[in-house]
Amino acid sequence: MSAPDSTERAMLPLRFEGVGLDRNGRTLLHDLTFEISAGGVTVILGPNGAGKSLTLRLAHGLLGPTRGQVAWECPTEAARRDSALLFQHPVLLRRSARANVGYALALRGVPRARRTSLAQTALAAMGLSAVADQPAQRLSGGERQRLALARAQALSPRVLFLDEPASALDPAATEVLEAAILSLRDSGTKVILTTHDLAQARRMADDILLLHRGRLIERSPAAAFFTAPATETAQQFLDRRLSS
Amino acid sequence: MAVFESFQTALRLILAGDAELVGIVWLSLRVTGTALFVSAALGLPAGGLLGVLSFPGRRAVVTLVNALMGLPPVVVGLAVYLLLSRQGPLGEWGLLFTPEAMMIAQTALILPIVIALTTQATEDLWGDLGEQLQSLGASRLRAIPTLLYETRVTLVTVLLAGLGRALAEVGAVQIVGGNLRGLTRTMTTTIALETSRGELALALGLGLVLMVLAVTINGAAELLRGRAQHVRT
């Protein structure tokens, strides 16, 4: 499956340079500075209220920073087109599963003739061929999340953002979803995922960004983070002693 | 007894397809149908724009449209009358006391309802879908047709509300139409006139037709809503 009108120029690294975010007089994110490189799964980890989802929205361009800048290697517009975001609670349109995927492709200017085959391929990759013509609203939670992933995958994103994608799923549905995400990673898509679930982070992460109360606490390769965290806060989080 | 006889006469008028009754019903449907069509064509996109776009003064515009929803029909009739009267700004069009004048008055009555309720529906839905649509690459403008499609079930009800207001309305069409026999006499203005004259047969006949129309249109809309719930594949 080829990317619809994607730029061949490198997108990554993605750089956060002194990024801060204020809302209603409160500072929600403080001076975030880090870089995310190509390849693998980067997990943004932290307890509830750490600022994970806001960081993801800033990265995807849904929010603009109050201070600092979010910079891609390529022009921001191209980065927006070549990335996709999967929300914690997938928002699906009141139409069939296939039409939901087709709609996303139409927004990216994919010709109608190609949409059907691209949608079919994406649905098949997520094991949703059997429910392609069913109303999206009637799918189970796991199917809905996989449909949202199929919709994102159909756009052939080079970077895929996932905001706590399995938080509302049972263990079986989580396993299926994680396998699909890792399969995307293996096909070359950069995955950036937020979670507060340590077990999921252990299963998925190649590297970790730990956020707490809007600040970046630690940035480490996953193996190092879980075996020898560099900060006391990270150790508290691993010991489940860190509250929001 | 007189009422019973009038009722019998009314039924006879309906079953015989009385030319005057049919003419009045047809004119009413033509006037209201046109007003509804124009209101939908203008009001749905305008409501979508107001629901999704943010610009200075938006809240004031929404408040104004909401206020216009509650305007008494006679006030709307008076405003359109002044607009179309010989000395009015559109007087040279010569539309006063024509069906077109009644269409304009009914459009002025329905349009704020369609805009205001569409604004509310799309604004609410934008809150739910906005981030997702933007993340998929939709601009606010591009998202409007999607939001209108997604709220289609609600919008059927919105249009029904407009239709109900127009079909039941007397004051505005009477002022700008003049209730001229054979030219601008609608179901409601005829019912009002005939009742005041004690001629109940035609009034009852039209009342029956109006009720059947209301039930039929609502039934059809309900069917349409059911089909609209069905997904597009």
Side-chain angles (χ1 to χ4, degrees):
Chain A
M1 192 167 18
S2 64
D5 191 26
S6 76
T7 172
E8 288 308 311
R9 193 172 156 184
M11 280 176 73
L12 295 164
L14 164 66
R15 295 184 187 86
F16 271 56
E17 295 163 357
V19 170
L21 183 72
D22 297 346
R23 284 289 183 272
N24 303 321
R26 281 182 60 208
T27 298
L28 303 177
L29 295 176
H30 304 263
D31 193 28
L32 295 183
T33 299
F34 59 84
E35 189 175 297
I36 294 178
S37 309
V41 176
T42 296
V43 169
I44 301 175
L45 192 62
N48 292 335
K52 307 184 293 292
S53 295
L54 290 174
T55 304
L56 214 61
R57 279 164 172 72
L58 282 163
H60 189 49
L62 284 177
L63 290 176
T66 310
R67 292 171 296 283
Q69 66 167 342
V70 178
W72 294 85
E73 192 66 8
C74 64
T76 308
E77 228 11 76
R80 276 295 295 276
R81 285 184 63 83
D82 267 356
S83 59
L85 171 59
L86 194 68
F87 291 87
Q88 187 173 359
H89 302 289
V91 181
L92 301 170
L93 302 177
R94 294 170 70 160
R95 49 191 88 185
S96 70
R98 188 199 313 277
N100 264 277
V101 180
Y103 175 81
L105 291 164
L107 281 179
R108 296 292 170 99
V110 177
R112 186 182 291 271
R114 280 190 65 210
R115 279 182 229 155
T116 309
S117 62
L118 284 173
Q120 201 58 48
T121 309
L123 289 168
M126 294 298 148
L128 293 171
S129 295
V131 297
D133 293 321
Q134 284 190 24
Q137 309 284 344
R138 291 189 205 154
L139 301 180
S140 70
E143 287 171 332
R144 288 165 63 90
Q145 197 58 290
R146 276 188 286 143
L147 172 57
L149 191 57
R151 181 171 61 186
Q153 187 200 358
L155 304 175
S156 299
R158 294 157 77 191
V159 176
L160 178 62
F161 298 103
L162 301 114
D163 188 10
E164 308 227 20
S167 64
L169 302 184
D170 61 36
T174 300
E175 194 178 330
V176 173
L177 185 74
E178 286 181 358
I181 294 168
L182 291 177
S183 158
L184 283 174
R185 176 203 63 185
D186 294 343
S187 66
T189 304
K190 170 70 188 183
V191 174
I192 302 172
L193 177 148
T194 69
T195 186
H196 60 265
D197 180 347
L198 273 171
Q200 184 173 53
R202 281 182 204 274
R203 290 191 298 270
M204 306 281 291
D206 292 304
D207 65 322
I208 299 271
L209 286 162
L210 177 68
L211 297 185
H212 185 228
R213 294 180 179 161
R215 297 178 194 279
L216 178 62
I217 303 300
E218 184 165 337
R219 169 71 192 272
S220 316
F225 179 83
F226 288 113
T227 53
T231 61
E232 176 56 25
T233 309
Q235 187 60 58
Q236 286 176 357
F237 185 67
L238 289 173
D239 295 341
R240 303 176 196 280
R241 289 184 287 117
L242 190 67
S243 62
S244 54
Chain B
M1 194 62 188
V3 174
F4 183 69
E5 281 169 10
S6 299
F7 196 74
Q8 280 184 318
T9 312
L11 280 177
R12 269 202 300 278
L13 287 175
I14 295 170
L15 295 173
D18 176 77
E20 185 178 15
L21 183 138
V22 170
I24 291 169
V25 171
W26 172 239
L27 177 69
S28 300
L29 290 179
R30 198 156 60 88
V31 168
T32 301
T34 306
L36 187 67
F37 177 79
V38 173
S39 298
L42 298 176
L44 295 178
L49 283 167
L50 270 179
V52 166
L53 296 187
S54 62
F55 54 87
R58 177 187 171 277
R59 194 40 59 190
V61 174
V62 172
T63 305
L64 178 67
V65 173
N66 286 341
L68 289 175
M69 266 204 305
L71 269 185
V74 285
V75 174
V76 173
L78 180 62
V80 175
Y81 180 92
L82 293 173
L83 206 64
L84 299 180
S85 67
R86 195 168 291 278
Q87 281 79 35
L90 305 179
E92 62 189 44
W93 290 6
L95 290 179
L96 201 59
F97 305 133
T98 66
E100 285 73 21
M102 299 194 293
M103 291 169 190
I104 292 170
Q106 289 205 344
T107 303
L109 278 172
I110 304 175
L111 189 58
I113 296 176
V114 177
I115 295 177
L117 298 182
T118 305
T119 299
Q120 191 60 55
T122 49
E123 188 177 11
D124 290 348
L125 194 61
W126 179 250
D128 295 336
L129 295 186
E131 266 200 329
Q132 178 71 74
L133 294 181
Q134 285 182 307
S135 119
L136 290 173
S139 65
R140 284 175 182 254
L141 219 52
R142 173 66 183 80
I144 291 173
T146 305
L147 295 176
L148 293 177
Y149 182 74
E150 292 295 308
T151 51
R152 58 197 179 275
V153 177
T154 306
L155 295 182
V156 169
T157 311
V158 169
L159 294 180
L160 272 181
L163 181 68
R165 175 142 160 110
L167 264 182
E169 192 279 318
V170 186
V173 288
Q174 189 144 342
I175 291 174
V176 301
N179 205 15
L180 306 175
R181 187 171 194 178
L183 186 63
T184 58
R185 200 163 280 185
T186 65
M187 287 192 278
T188 51
T189 59
T190 308
I191 290 171
L193 179 69
E194 296 294 307
T195 305
S196 70
R197 289 183 354 191
E199 300 286 343
L200 295 182
L202 184 57
L204 270 172
L206 288 169
L208 280 173
V209 172
L210 205 51
M211 280 173 59
V212 169
L213 271 176
V215 171
T216 307
I217 290 168
N218 276 283
E222 198 53 46
L223 273 177
L224 205 68
R225 281 155 53 110
R227 290 174 71 101
Q229 295 270 25
H230 211 72
V231 292
R232 185 170 66 180
T233 56

